[in-house]
Amino acid sequence: MKKNILLTIILIVVCFTSLTIAFFIQNNWNNVDVRTGFIEVDDGDIAYKLYVPKGAKNNPGVLLLHGYQNDHETSAAYAIELARRGAVVLAIDEYGHGDTTIPMKNRGYTNHKVTVNYGNDSSEDKTYVEISGPLRYKVLMNFSNLSFFNDRYSKGSDGSKIIDSSMGGIAAYAFLSSLDEVDPSRLAISGHSMGTWASWSTAAAYSGAVNSDGVDITPKATVLQCGELFRNSVYDSEKIKFNNVLLLQAKYDEFNYFRDYENFVTDSLLDAPVRTEFLGVDAQNSEWNTTFGNFSDGSARRIELLNTNHRLTTHDSHGLRVALDWFDSAIDLDSSISSSNQVYLIKETLVFIAMLSAIFSMIPFMNILLETPFFKSVATGIPNRPEKDKSGKKWWKNCIITMLIAAITYPFMTQLGHGLLPLNENIFRMTIGNGFLSWYLLLIVVMLLTTIIPIKRAKKKGIIIDMADLGFAGEKNPKHFDFALFGKSILLVLLMLLFMYVELFISVKAFMLDFRFIWPFFRLFTGERFIQFLVYIPVFALFFLFNNSKIFASNRVPEARINGTRAFISTWAHNALAMVGGILIVILIEYIPFFLGIGPGADLLFSPTFGGPFMSLLIVFAPQVIVFSLICTIIYRKTGNVFTGALLVASLACWIVTGGSAIL
């Protein structure tokens, strides 16, 4: 008990010490005032985080717009570095993300989509086609269709239309330009992925705009972090002008529209008319990493090639350095700090340490609770049945089957649920959550069948596989599903989650930081998002219960029952491979061809329909599952059943999906 109390205290101290230092990096050691709030508009509230350098007066201002499935904090690298250099920075949660109350469907949609760069399409060659399907599919298929485009694109034949492709950016820009600390004549915009379309839309809305004081508030620069280009013919290019546009091009971008629908980013990409038109040069003169035009008249254009992938572009030091220099040229930052002098990654690392400390503080807290009379019975102990352990070929056979099933089904089922699975969209509103819901439902059926069939086969041979063998009961009552144990495990998990939630609450309220590493992981729930958590948690819980039963109990290695560090590491290695192995296979399929210069594997094997969001999620998802495997290994060895570990990681996974990601 004393050791667990001490370990809990140590992890809490590490968590909040890390957050304290991260807080001071965020506010540049009290030289930047950081505040949060809401911008009230007709449809609801737009959440924001504002960075104001101390003593700011007539300072430049920059609006930051995040990508799909992200939130304002994903823009923190740009926000911190810009604020250090004197800019007033506004980072918002766009429609359907974070704490903004306006749903993503308020962006609008049309009943058609384009499968090439806008302006290169035609109905004859079927690059301009009508679409039908669930509302979320229409919205997702129209992400690159912008509200300032001409009617052919922005309005549908059925009366549908793109309403606000700025996703709240237009209202946020008005708010930024009105701040007393801001010079409204020195404003700029930057966005990533979905936020680049929002950036185009916001810049278009304020092209030639003048405020009530007669000041021209046209954005003086736009930085696109993985953006799509379009031809000038798709909008009124005589009236709408975009000043000083920098495009940061990820070499390994998983989304085909950000690489002009080509398989791979090569030098020939610069020869395409959409690129030469953007740069303002002919194909013979187009080059990477070269500025064309000039800043004085707004004609500056540049495409910077970054040796990174789509999601990592937001925190790529090369890209950020070029962006800072670009902003400096356009809106005059404090150039006494070199653009290569960057501190954002220290903050991200510290918050990552805080998140891990908070997660793992639940383990000694659990151990403390297990010492109490009420929860003591939750630790049933691993059944002492060495004849049921798996090792050698038997374990590898089961593991490989598990990995292959996960790998084969992931690309198809996630995309099906993401866009086309016929779900009630007033209930199942989490777009990325629906992808995992679809995948998990199929895997639940597979795991159910592969549990029942072996039980029946074993029974014919006179071998009994009972509930203790499946991890659903202890040795004292092995034949039946232990509902009392299940109920106490639920209560135990709720207390563990509450413990971590209190840590998060303090983090957000005291330090204005949630638990993440670059991308959102754990955020405080709004009422709307907590309801979504309750909607999705039954399927997540059922999946992880079966998953833990198959991996930790049915395919248990002998080392699971042995004490000691070596046995623990061996057990965790086996469990981790079984849990994440299928995802690792998909990663190899996706990225080996990409790194060889052929193109992303999913696009090549299955078509671009199965590339994009769930492929780019792999670099977030795989580490997450590895951490889950560690948690489940620790808890299974402690309790001897799968209830606590499975329900805890199911809750964490569902929390990640529903806490801040896109809501329709």
Side-chain angles (χ1 to χ4, degrees):
M1 178 71 83
K2 288 181 180 179
K3 287 181 179 179
N4 283 304
I5 291 173
L6 179 61
L7 183 55
T8 303
I9 293 171
I10 289 172
L11 288 170
I12 291 173
V13 169
V14 170
C15 175
F16 289 111
T17 300
S18 299
L19 288 169
T20 300
I21 301 171
F23 171 77
F24 283 116
I25 292 174
Q26 173 179 256
N27 68 17
N28 195 25
W29 305 97
N30 281 331
N31 288 308
V32 173
D33 179 25
V34 182
R35 60 189 91 139
T36 58
F38 292 90
I39 302 167
E40 295 182 10
V41 294
D42 292 339
D43 296 331
D45 297 328
I46 299 170
Y48 69 78
K49 193 168 189 176
L50 183 67
Y51 302 71
V52 182
K54 293 288 178 68
K57 186 178 181 181
N58 291 323
N59 287 38
V62 181
L63 172 65
L64 299 178
L65 300 164
H66 62 77
Y68 183 49
Q69 300 300 334
N70 294 321
D71 61 5
H72 70 264
E73 198 65 20
T74 314
S75 304
Y78 276 67
I80 289 170
E81 299 302 340
L82 283 163
R84 289 178 69 210
R85 293 161 175 82
V88 176
V89 185
L90 178 66
I92 70 166
D93 292 339
E94 295 168 58
Y95 290 174
H97 292 74
D99 292 332
T100 288
T101 62
I102 305 169
M104 192 167 60
K105 62 186 177 183
N106 280 35
R107 185 188 193 280
Y109 66 91
T110 64
N111 64 341
H112 57 258
K113 68 173 181 176
V114 169
T115 58
V116 292
N117 293 108
Y118 281 84
N120 291 335
D121 56 276
S122 71
S123 302
E124 291 74 22
D125 64 8
K126 300 187 185 304
T127 53
Y128 179 97
V129 294
E130 290 196 358
I131 58 172
S132 61
L135 175 61
R136 69 182 183 280
Y137 178 73
K138 293 176 182 176
V139 172
L140 294 169
M141 289 300 102
N142 275 273
F143 265 167
S144 56
N145 195 354
L146 308 183
S147 43
F148 67 90
F149 284 177
N150 62 43
D151 288 354
R152 167 179 165 82
Y153 303 110
S154 60
K155 294 183 179 180
S157 58
D158 59 352
S160 58
K161 66 177 182 178
I162 306 298
I163 302 169
D164 181 9
S165 55
S166 80
M167 304 281 279
I170 291 174
Y173 191 90
F175 174 78
L176 177 64
S177 68
S178 69
L179 295 176
D180 292 338
E181 300 90 345
V182 171
D183 178 354
S185 68
R186 291 195 291 155
L187 297 176
I189 306 169
S190 182
H192 171 250
S193 191
M194 180 186 74
T196 63
W197 293 312
S199 297
W200 281 120
S201 303
T202 305
Y206 287 95
S207 177
V210 177
N211 68 9
S212 57
D213 295 324
V215 178
D216 182 1
I217 61 172
T218 302
K220 300 304 181 289
T222 301
V223 174
L224 308 169
Q225 307 164 43
C226 299
E228 182 181 10
L229 300 179
F230 42 82
R231 302 299 297 274
N232 293 340
S233 59
V234 304
Y235 67 99
D236 189 346
S237 58
E238 292 299 315
K239 292 183 178 179
I240 298 174
K241 303 293 182 183
F242 298 103
N243 289 324
N244 306 321
V245 184
L246 166 66
L247 171 60
L248 301 177
Q249 174 74 59
K251 186 175 182 180
Y252 304 105
D253 200 308
E254 296 90 344
F255 294 81
N256 66 337
Y257 29 71
F258 296 130
R259 52 179 197 269
D260 292 358
Y261 300 86
E262 298 293 330
N263 282 336
F264 194 67
V265 175
T266 63
D267 289 345
S268 63
L269 198 68
L270 293 178
D271 298 338
V274 70
R275 298 264 168 166
T276 56
E277 188 174 84
F278 169 76
L279 292 173
V281 298
D282 55 35
Q284 288 72 33
N285 293 312
S286 61
E287 293 183 46
W288 301 107
N289 310 341
T290 302
T291 300
F292 299 93
N294 59 78
F295 286 92
S296 59
D297 63 5
S299 65
R301 298 289 187 272
R302 184 183 180 103
I303 304 178
E304 193 77 12
L305 184 61
L306 308 180
N307 192 31
T308 189
N309 78 336
H310 184 82
R311 285 185 175 270
L312 289 172
T313 299
T314 57
H315 289 68
D316 182 83
S317 60
H318 172 191
L320 181 52
R321 174 177 55 78
V322 174
L324 290 170
D325 289 337
W326 194 265
F327 285 127
D328 186 28
S329 298
I331 58 175
D332 191 22
L333 301 177
D334 176 3
S335 53
S336 64
I337 303 175
S338 167
S339 59
S340 59
N341 180 343
Q342 301 173 6
V343 300
Y344 69 90
L345 196 55
I346 301 173
K347 173 260 181 186
E348 294 295 335
T349 303
L350 288 167
V351 173
F352 178 60
I353 292 170
M355 177 177 69
L356 290 180
S357 300
I359 291 171
F360 285 103
S361 70
M362 290 189 291
I363 303 300
F365 179 69
M366 175 196 74
N367 290 336
I368 294 169
L369 293 175
L370 289 175
E371 292 295 323
T372 64
F374 181 80
F375 286 113
K376 204 172 187 70
S377 59
V378 171
T380 59
I382 297 174
N384 187 23
R385 302 174 178 184
E387 73 280 2
K388 298 288 182 71
D389 294 342
K390 303 293 191 301
S391 60
K393 291 182 180 178
K394 197 174 282 188
W395 183 89
W396 275 105
K397 175 186 174 183
N398 293 340
C399 180
I400 290 171
I401 290 172
T402 299
M403 290 163 55
L404 290 176
I405 290 172
I408 291 168
T409 55
Y410 177 85
F412 305 105
M413 296 307 298
T414 51
Q415 284 294 70
L416 173 66
H418 188 229
L420 293 173
L421 195 69
L423 296 168
N424 186 323
E425 293 176 327
N426 292 319
I427 299 174
F428 298 95
R429 298 180 59 200
M430 309 306 304
T431 56
I432 210 77
N434 290 339
F436 283 107
L437 187 78
S438 173
W439 187 43
Y440 286 167
L441 284 171
L442 175 65
L443 292 179
I444 287 168
V445 173
V446 171
M447 289 187 289
L448 187 60
L449 291 174
T450 55
T451 298
I452 294 173
I453 293 172
I455 290 175
K456 291 186 175 181
R457 286 178 177 174
K459 190 175 182 180
K460 289 180 180 179
K461 297 178 181 179
I463 301 171
I464 301 299
I465 300 176
D466 58 26
M467 287 295 160
D469 293 320
L470 299 177
F472 297 140
E475 285 278 37
K476 292 183 179 179
N477 186 26
K479 294 183 179 180
H480 304 287
F481 186 95
D482 195 329
F483 285 99
L485 176 61
F486 182 56
K488 283 190 176 183
S489 299
I490 292 175
L491 184 57
L492 178 63
V493 168
L494 288 175
L495 290 174
M496 294 166 69
L497 290 170
L498 179 61
F499 182 74
M500 179 177 162
Y501 197 85
V502 169
E503 292 178 88
L504 174 63
F505 182 85
I506 296 170
S507 173
V508 172
K509 299 303 180 182
F511 304 104
M512 289 182 287
L513 296 167
D514 53 28
F515 293 150
R516 67 176 56 226
F517 180 64
I518 300 178
W519 309 284
F521 280 93
F522 303 104
R523 294 173 46 98
L524 293 180
F525 282 112
T526 62
E528 180 181 46
R529 289 184 176 278
F530 183 66
I531 291 172
Q532 286 298 292
F533 175 85
L534 297 178
V535 168
Y536 286 87
I537 189 59
V539 173
F540 277 65
L542 195 58
F543 167 77
F544 278 101
L545 282 168
F546 275 117
N547 175 269
N548 275 219
S549 173
K550 298 290 289 182
I551 292 171
F552 292 83
S554 299
N555 206 34
R556 182 182 61 238
V557 294
E559 292 87 346
R561 294 180 292 103
I562 301 172
N563 292 326
T565 303
R566 182 176 295 181
F568 171 79
I569 292 174
S570 175
T571 305
W572 176 36
H574 283 82
N575 295 339
L577 180 61
M579 285 187 78
V580 80
I583 301 304
L584 294 178
I585 290 173
V586 180
I587 288 174
L588 293 175
I589 290 172
E590 172 75 353
Y591 289 103
I592 286 178
F594 221 164
F595 293 149
L596 291 176
I598 303 170
D603 289 34
L604 297 172
L605 289 176
F606 316 123
S607 86
T609 301
F610 300 99
F614 284 93
M615 291 298 113
S616 71
L617 268 175
L618 292 170
I619 62 171
V620 182
F621 189 41
Q624 174 185 311
V625 176
I626 291 172
V627 171
F628 287 170
S629 71
L630 177 58
I631 293 171
C632 290
T633 299
I634 294 170
I635 295 177
Y636 180 72
R637 284 167 64 89
K638 179 68 179 180
T639 64
N641 59 77
V642 302
F643 291 135
T644 303
L647 293 173
L648 180 62
V649 297
S651 300
L652 294 176
C654 193
W655 185 354
I656 291 169
V657 166
T658 58
S661 62
I663 189 168
L664 185 64

